[in-house]
Amino acid sequence: MYRRTLLSGATTGGVALFTGCLDETENPHTDPNSTSDTVNNEWRQFQADGAHTGATAMAGPDGGGRIRWWSNTWGLSTAPVIEDGTVYAGTGLQNQLVVALDETTGDTQWEAPIGDDIARALAVNDGTVYAAASGVYALNAETGEQKWMDHLDTSWGLAFADDTVFTAAGGGGPLVALDVATGDRRWHREIHTITTPTVADGRVFAVGNADLLALDAETGETEWKKEIDRAGGPPTVANGTVFVGTRGDLIAHDAATGDRDWTLPGSFRNTDIAAIDDTLYFPGRQREDDEWIGRAFAVDTATGEVEWTYGDDHLGAGSAVGTEKTVYVTTRTRIYAFDRKTGDLEWWLRFQWPVSPPAIADETLYVSVGGRVMAIESGDGHAGVWPSDAEPIPDRGAAPAEPTYAETDFSFGMGGFDVRSESDVTVDEDAPVAVSFAIDGDGVDEDDTVSISLAIENQSDEVLSFNTGAPEPFGIFSLHDDAQNLVAWTPAYEETTHVHTSPHLGITGVNSIGLSTAIQPGDTVRETYSISDETHGIQPGTYEFSIEQTLFPADRENDHDGWQLSVTGTVELVDRGTDDGAIVHELVVADEVELPEEFMGRFTVDVLAPVTDTHPGLIEVTLENVTDERSLITSMRRWPFASSVGLGPAARRLVLLPATGYAPGFVDRTDSGWWEPAFLPHESIVRGRSTTAYDPGERSTMRFIVTTHPETADPQDGDGYAFEQGFGDEAVDVPWGFALSTLAPDE
């Protein structure tokens, strides 16, 4: 056997925290000492109130959830807040702002520019909107004009109670109390915090890297401090108890003393909790038979006993809010509606952009989806795909031109690939190891795969070791040509906490960590990788690979230089080809949004291939910097245009799959001849923005496979599908998009 040793390293990558701001009034679903301002069709803070209970006496939407309106904004997603018939939210890409929207129509009332990286938590109270970015801003709720501003960097957001705003800065602190009328600092504590503060029962509750604190709300003095595991969401206070989700469990502490009441095992680090009557509602994960299971939970506040659960792979990190009848849970790209008493799933919606924590007012659920605020009312649309009364910017009804197709060398690979391979193993002469390497298989299609095996046997009488990245023992096996990077698959990716994977797409992230593999005398370490028709980005070409390692005696007291070994070679994939097939639908760009002159770039869309009975459609999106200066441009997720869902008539949808990640096994043919994806790629992508620099005249292109949505009807002749995305440069944030028409083949 061989042992595994952790050498060093730190996890990289950002974690999106749902944080917010809350307010102090009576909550009809919790104890009288709790706080809420949601009785008169208002939702003034994140999770409804300063205690973060997420509870309201108002009703939310029933049925399948229909989009009544959406805002013409993109970017960061903050939890909406509501007062006096107006919805307020923070949004923006490079030019971030607070926007005020009419609650009934969604019409923009005003926009107020704000500092960089607006926090995900807003608040509104008595005619003033409070927002946090590179400072704390107090804005006139009717006009957006600034009343006061404090230059505190408040990346964790804010909460308020009575006449005080409490805000927590990122990094090492501080935690500050500000007068709501003047912005004057009432007290200031140098306390390291990592979530929005919570206010209830005359106390401010704050979470640090490994502790939970209770401070006197009037003075800021510490009342108690308890060690906890690392948290990510703000505390919730109800029935005299403070609840916090951590990466190891969900914990309940007495709010007055800090004594631990109970613990629920699981991963709840990025969870926002709703507390209604005597029950908590929240999403999270629990380990079962060495596997993490996503669930929605209902848990007794007094005992921690689980009342019901609902299992779903897409439940994990997220936010819960609730009414008398329904609990709503938002996760990365989904909204769920559960019966509060039974846990039965009433309906759910799936989106293509990050979904914010929700707000409820007047039988409507308000969320920000990729920075676009949406009003979701009762409707009868089918679960998973949201119906809409709102119209996207591109004109779906525009008259399409005659179909024209540009030549392309793109391979759909439907006939499979012939495979030829060569390899060479080089090992130092005196190395006390036997190295074997083999590539087996001469074809890749729906039935055939290529396996790549590497093994090292320790033939010495001492322990040998070598360094590698995750996963052990040999790390990630990649093959490269001039344009593509193929990552060969191994089940070891799923068995390590350092490599993040998703179905079909393979590796989506690797933690920055150094590992060491030790081989005992006489033992062998081995791994087998595979290339299949589901391999990410598989295209014809000659791919090179190289593995280099230095093996050392585990006891390095003799300062041994080590033994070198290398494995190099090539794998050639030759497309077997398919005939052109019969055209199922012609594809035509019917409309493109014209961008303002001050925007740095111009987009064009070309159709490369129609949809046939032997392959999906193919389009190409091009961006060019048309200015005379080097420019930065920011977009949502992938660049220049993300995997996207096109909105068509009668809730029909088209899906664009990035061709750089395409594989023949990604799509299945439907009875009508259309193709549908085996998965939706945007559900596997981490939330966030992407910023790229472009020199004058610089161009970039991205190709997309055109498929139909797996949960809607196939497109019909004459349908128009609107695709949109937000972009921002130094001057302006803009939505850009195009309409794609599906036409009957020309007989």
Side-chain angles (χ1 to χ4, degrees), residues 584-586 649-650 652 654 674 708 713-721 741-744:
V584 176
H585 272 95
E586 308 273 13
R652 292 189 290 275
L654 281 184
W674 264 99
T708 187
D714 287 342
Q716 298 181 6
D717 297 341
D719 278 358
Y721 293 84
S741 293
T742 55
L743 304 182

Side-chain angles (χ1 to χ4, degrees), residues 4 9 26 68 91 108 168 195 213 219 230 362 388 404 429 441 463 483 582 587 621 652 679 717 720 746:
R4 300 178 174 182
E26 183 180 357
R68 185 171 73 242
T91 185
T108 300
T195 74
L213 301 92
T219 65
R230 188 173 178 87
D362 197 20
S388 175
T404 58
E429 273 189 34
V463 178
L587 298 177
V621 179
R652 292 189 290 275
F679 70 107
D717 297 341
D746 185 4

Side-chain angles (χ1 to χ4, degrees), residues 487-525:
V487 178
W489 178 257
T490 171
Y493 296 150
E494 296 179 330
E495 297 168 2
T496 173
T497 59
H498 306 304
V499 176
H500 311 290
T501 65
S502 66
H504 304 289
L505 277 176
I507 295 172
T508 56
V510 182
N511 293 345
S512 175
I513 193 165
L515 300 174
S516 176
T517 295
I519 317 176
Q520 300 295 325
D523 280 356
T524 300
V525 295

Side-chain angles (χ1 to χ4, degrees), residues 314-328:
H314 292 273
L315 286 164
S319 293
V321 300
T323 68
E324 188 68 34
K325 294 175 51 180
T326 308
V327 172
Y328 303 95

Side-chain angles (χ1 to χ4, degrees), residues 82-318:
I82 303 162
E83 183 180 70
D84 291 339
T86 302
V87 179
Y88 305 92
T91 185
L93 290 158
Q94 285 202 54
N95 305 276
Q96 289 156 29
L97 50 83
V98 175
V99 61
L101 307 165
D102 183 274
E103 182 182 341
T104 303
T105 65
D107 293 341
T108 300
Q109 296 178 346
W110 53 258
E111 296 178 348
I114 200 168
D116 293 338
D117 292 327
I118 186 170
R120 297 169 183 86
L122 298 182
V124 58
N125 185 52
D126 197 22
T128 302
V129 179
Y130 303 95
S134 53
V136 182
Y137 294 79
L139 308 174
N140 185 297
E142 290 188 3
T143 66
E145 294 180 358
Q146 182 175 307
K147 291 184 174 182
W148 56 259
M149 185 262 198
D150 186 295
H151 288 283
L152 183 72
D153 183 354
T154 56
S155 57
W156 301 128
L158 50 83
F160 73 80
D162 296 329
D163 57 355
T164 306
V165 172
F166 301 92
T167 185
L175 182 65
V176 178
L178 304 172
D179 184 280
V180 295
T182 64
D184 294 340
R185 297 191 181 188
R186 294 185 163 174
W187 52 259
H188 177 115
R189 290 289 308 276
E190 291 294 336
I191 295 175
H192 179 89
T193 58
I194 59 173
T195 74
T196 302
T198 297
V199 191
D201 303 331
R203 299 180 181 89
V204 178
F205 299 91
V207 172
N209 273 336
D211 51 42
L212 172 64
L213 301 92
L215 312 179
D216 184 280
E218 288 291 330
T219 65
E221 294 180 358
T222 301
E223 294 192 0
W224 53 259
K225 178 179 179 180
K226 299 295 180 179
E227 183 176 337
I228 64 172
D229 203 346
R230 188 173 178 87
T236 290
V237 180
N239 300 337
T241 306
V242 55
F243 306 95
V244 180
T246 76
R247 62 184 173 185
D249 46 35
L250 187 139
I251 54 178
H253 287 257
D254 185 280
T257 65
D259 294 339
R260 176 84 57 103
D261 290 338
W262 52 260
T263 300
L264 177 69
S267 177
F268 307 103
R269 179 180 173 186
N270 296 317
T271 293
D272 299 320
I273 304 165
I276 308 173
D277 295 331
D278 296 321
T279 305
L280 303 178
Y281 303 91
F282 52 90
R285 296 185 185 276
Q286 286 186 317
R287 201 159 186 84
E288 188 174 290
D289 298 328
D290 295 325
E291 183 179 359
W292 285 103
I293 307 297
R295 293 185 172 120
F297 295 80
V299 172
D300 186 273
T301 58
T303 65
E305 293 182 0
V306 176
E307 298 178 359
W308 57 255
T309 65
Y310 182 91
D312 190 303
D313 287 343
H314 292 273
L315 286 164

Side-chain angles (χ1 to χ4, degrees), residues 507-578:
I507 295 172
T508 56
V510 182
N511 293 345
S512 175
I513 193 165
L515 300 174
S516 176
T517 295
I519 317 176
Q520 300 295 325
D523 280 356
T524 300
V525 295
R526 57 171 49 89
E527 191 63 80
T528 299
Y529 304 85
S530 64
I531 302 173
S532 73
D533 76 332
E534 292 182 346
T535 296
H536 176 89
I538 189 168
Q539 286 289 289
T542 300
Y543 296 84
E544 299 179 349
F545 60 86
S546 176
I547 300 173
E548 296 182 354
Q549 289 290 352
T550 302
L551 285 79
F552 294 94
D555 181 4
R556 299 191 190 181
E557 291 183 1
N558 58 2
D559 199 26
H560 196 285
D561 290 335
W563 298 279
Q564 307 293 319
L565 71 86
S566 67
V567 181
T568 59
T570 61
V571 173
E572 183 182 6
L573 302 176
V574 180
D575 187 7
R576 293 174 184 161
T578 57

